[in-house]
Amino acid sequence: MHGFDWLSGVAAVDLDCPAPLRDPDGLLRFFNEPNAPAWGRDVPRILMHECLHGWQLVSSRWLLDLVVEEWLRLQGWQSGTPPPSPGPLRQAYGRAEQGQ
């Protein structure tokens, strides 16, 4: 299944990876020439789509602040102390705005 995880920033493409993309410089070559025949027909479209979500994440201050809020909670949990309650951004995530 293709997808983008907003909290980790990981893009997943559920297709066989073309051999040229497995090279150490494969992604750099892909982004320099995304329409090259070496990538095949389906991978470029899906990979570019999922990568755009990554750019949306880094360009969205609200989502970035949400990730920071969750990361700080995770650090508390890893240190052995109970994590704090979800912060205001996490509580608001996915909730419809008033009046909708």
Side-chain angles (χ1 to χ4, degrees), residues 74-89:
L74 177 64
Q75 285 181 323
W77 176 74
Q78 286 181 327
S79 69
T81 60
S85 298
L89 295 175

Side-chain angles (χ1 to χ4, degrees), residues 58-95:
V58 298
S59 67
S60 171
R61 178 63 187 252
W62 187 89
L63 285 173
L64 187 59
D65 288 344
L66 172 64
V67 170
V68 169
E69 188 177 272
E70 289 293 283
W71 183 255
L72 293 173
R73 291 184 68 228
L74 177 64
Q75 285 181 323
W77 176 74
Q78 286 181 327
S79 69
T81 60
S85 298
L89 295 175
R90 185 66 183 110
Q91 291 176 22
Y93 184 74
R95 186 181 322 150

Side-chain angles (χ1 to χ4, degrees), residues 92 94-100:
R95 186 181 322 150
E97 289 190 40
Q98 297 292 338
Q100 288 190 0

Side-chain angles (χ1 to χ4, degrees), residues 24-62:
D25 65 342
L27 279 177
L28 177 62
R29 288 183 17 230
F30 170 78
F31 285 110
N32 283 332
E33 197 177 356
N35 295 317
W39 317 127
R41 195 185 95 161
D42 295 323
V43 171
R45 177 183 59 81
I46 296 166
L47 181 58
M48 191 63 76
H49 172 90
E50 298 306 335
C51 287
L52 285 173
H53 289 304
W55 285 109
Q56 288 172 325
L57 174 64
V58 298
S59 67
S60 171
R61 178 63 187 252
W62 187 89

